[in-house]
mmCIF file of all heavy atoms in Angstrom:
data_model
loop_
_atom_site.group_PDB
_atom_site.id
_atom_site.type_symbol
_atom_site.label_atom_id
_atom_site.label_comp_id
_atom_site.label_asym_id
_atom_site.label_seq_id
_atom_site.Cartn_x
_atom_site.Cartn_y
_atom_site.Cartn_z
ATOM 1 N N ALA G 85 -12.378 240.485 191.201
ATOM 2 C CA ALA G 85 -12.915 241.357 192.252
ATOM 3 C C ALA G 85 -12.085 242.638 192.340
ATOM 4 O O ALA G 85 -12.638 243.741 192.498
ATOM 5 C CB ALA G 85 -12.909 240.623 193.599
ATOM 6 N N GLY G 86 -10.780 242.490 192.203
ATOM 7 C CA GLY G 86 -9.911 243.665 192.246
ATOM 8 C C GLY G 86 -10.200 244.636 191.110
ATOM 9 O O GLY G 86 -10.299 245.851 191.327
ATOM 10 N N PHE G 87 -10.365 244.104 189.906
ATOM 11 C CA PHE G 87 -10.718 244.962 188.766
ATOM 12 C C PHE G 87 -12.035 245.682 189.028
ATOM 13 O O PHE G 87 -12.178 246.880 188.769
ATOM 14 C CB PHE G 87 -10.842 244.122 187.492
ATOM 15 C CG PHE G 87 -9.549 243.946 186.750
ATOM 16 C CD1 PHE G 87 -8.800 242.791 186.895
ATOM 17 C CD2 PHE G 87 -9.077 244.936 185.890
ATOM 18 C CE1 PHE G 87 -7.605 242.627 186.212
ATOM 19 C CE2 PHE G 87 -7.892 244.781 185.194
ATOM 20 C CZ PHE G 87 -7.144 243.617 185.356
ATOM 21 N N ALA G 88 -13.006 244.934 189.538
ATOM 22 C CA ALA G 88 -14.327 245.523 189.770
ATOM 23 C C ALA G 88 -14.249 246.634 190.820
ATOM 24 O O ALA G 88 -14.903 247.671 190.693
ATOM 25 C CB ALA G 88 -15.315 244.437 190.202
ATOM 26 N N ARG G 89 -13.437 246.415 191.837
ATOM 27 C CA ARG G 89 -13.257 247.452 192.872
ATOM 28 C C ARG G 89 -12.711 248.736 192.287
ATOM 29 O O ARG G 89 -12.958 249.818 192.797
ATOM 30 C CB ARG G 89 -12.271 246.979 193.936
ATOM 31 C CG ARG G 89 -12.806 245.934 194.831
ATOM 32 C CD ARG G 89 -11.994 245.869 196.118
ATOM 33 N NE ARG G 89 -12.832 245.248 197.113
ATOM 34 C CZ ARG G 89 -13.730 245.905 197.828
ATOM 35 N NH1 ARG G 89 -13.847 247.197 197.721
ATOM 36 N NH2 ARG G 89 -14.485 245.254 198.676
ATOM 37 N N GLU G 90 -11.915 248.600 191.234
ATOM 38 C CA GLU G 90 -11.302 249.770 190.617
ATOM 39 C C GLU G 90 -12.159 250.332 189.490
ATOM 40 O O GLU G 90 -11.692 251.121 188.670
ATOM 41 C CB GLU G 90 -9.901 249.427 190.100
ATOM 42 C CG GLU G 90 -8.908 249.083 191.208
ATOM 43 C CD GLU G 90 -8.626 250.260 192.149
ATOM 44 O OE1 GLU G 90 -8.819 251.421 191.739
ATOM 45 O OE2 GLU G 90 -8.230 249.998 193.305
ATOM 46 N N GLY G 91 -13.424 249.899 189.431
ATOM 47 C CA GLY G 91 -14.355 250.523 188.501
ATOM 48 C C GLY G 91 -14.440 249.880 187.132
ATOM 49 O O GLY G 91 -15.152 250.376 186.259
ATOM 50 N N LEU G 92 -13.734 248.775 186.928
ATOM 51 C CA LEU G 92 -13.813 248.100 185.629
ATOM 52 C C LEU G 92 -14.869 247.004 185.689
ATOM 53 O O LEU G 92 -15.340 246.636 186.776
ATOM 54 C CB LEU G 92 -12.438 247.537 185.267
ATOM 55 C CG LEU G 92 -11.444 248.680 185.024
ATOM 56 C CD1 LEU G 92 -10.030 248.267 185.321
ATOM 57 C CD2 LEU G 92 -11.563 249.202 183.598
ATOM 58 N N VAL G 93 -15.251 246.507 184.531
ATOM 59 C CA VAL G 93 -16.246 245.432 184.476
ATOM 60 C C VAL G 93 -15.577 244.185 183.901
ATOM 61 O O VAL G 93 -15.454 244.031 182.690
ATOM 62 C CB VAL G 93 -17.464 245.841 183.623
ATOM 63 C CG1 VAL G 93 -18.439 244.672 183.494
ATOM 64 C CG2 VAL G 93 -18.157 247.041 184.258
ATOM 65 N N PRO G 94 -15.103 243.296 184.799
ATOM 66 C CA PRO G 94 -14.367 242.130 184.339
ATOM 67 C C PRO G 94 -15.283 240.985 183.914
ATOM 68 O O PRO G 94 -16.202 240.607 184.636
ATOM 69 C CB PRO G 94 -13.538 241.731 185.563
ATOM 70 C CG PRO G 94 -14.320 242.237 186.726
ATOM 71 C CD PRO G 94 -15.073 243.452 186.263
ATOM 72 N N PHE G 95 -15.020 240.444 182.721
ATOM 73 C CA PHE G 95 -15.594 239.175 182.290
ATOM 74 C C PHE G 95 -14.509 238.125 182.511
ATOM 75 O O PHE G 95 -13.463 238.175 181.873
ATOM 76 C CB PHE G 95 -16.006 239.233 180.811
ATOM 77 C CG PHE G 95 -17.348 239.872 180.594
ATOM 78 C CD1 PHE G 95 -17.533 241.238 180.781
ATOM 79 C CD2 PHE G 95 -18.442 239.098 180.207
ATOM 80 C CE1 PHE G 95 -18.781 241.824 180.589
ATOM 81 C CE2 PHE G 95 -19.699 239.667 180.014
ATOM 82 C CZ PHE G 95 -19.875 241.039 180.204
ATOM 83 N N ALA G 96 -14.766 237.212 183.435
ATOM 84 C CA ALA G 96 -13.764 236.203 183.791
ATOM 85 C C ALA G 96 -14.254 234.842 183.321
ATOM 86 O O ALA G 96 -15.408 234.483 183.547
ATOM 87 C CB ALA G 96 -13.540 236.192 185.301
ATOM 88 N N THR G 97 -13.367 234.076 182.657
ATOM 89 C CA THR G 97 -13.818 232.792 182.108
ATOM 90 C C THR G 97 -12.979 231.621 182.600
ATOM 91 O O THR G 97 -11.780 231.729 182.799
ATOM 92 C CB THR G 97 -13.777 232.775 180.560
ATOM 93 O OG1 THR G 97 -12.422 232.672 180.110
ATOM 94 C CG2 THR G 97 -14.416 234.010 179.962
ATOM 95 N N THR G 98 -13.659 230.505 182.794
ATOM 96 C CA THR G 98 -13.026 229.213 183.065
ATOM 97 C C THR G 98 -14.090 228.156 182.777
ATOM 98 O O THR G 98 -15.084 228.446 182.096
ATOM 99 C CB THR G 98 -12.471 229.142 184.509
ATOM 100 O OG1 THR G 98 -11.907 227.844 184.736
ATOM 101 C CG2 THR G 98 -13.549 229.387 185.559
#
Side-chain angles (χ1 to χ4, degrees):
Chain G
F87 272 99
R89 288 200 158 276
E90 294 296 337
L92 293 152
V93 176
F95 278 71
T97 74
T98 178

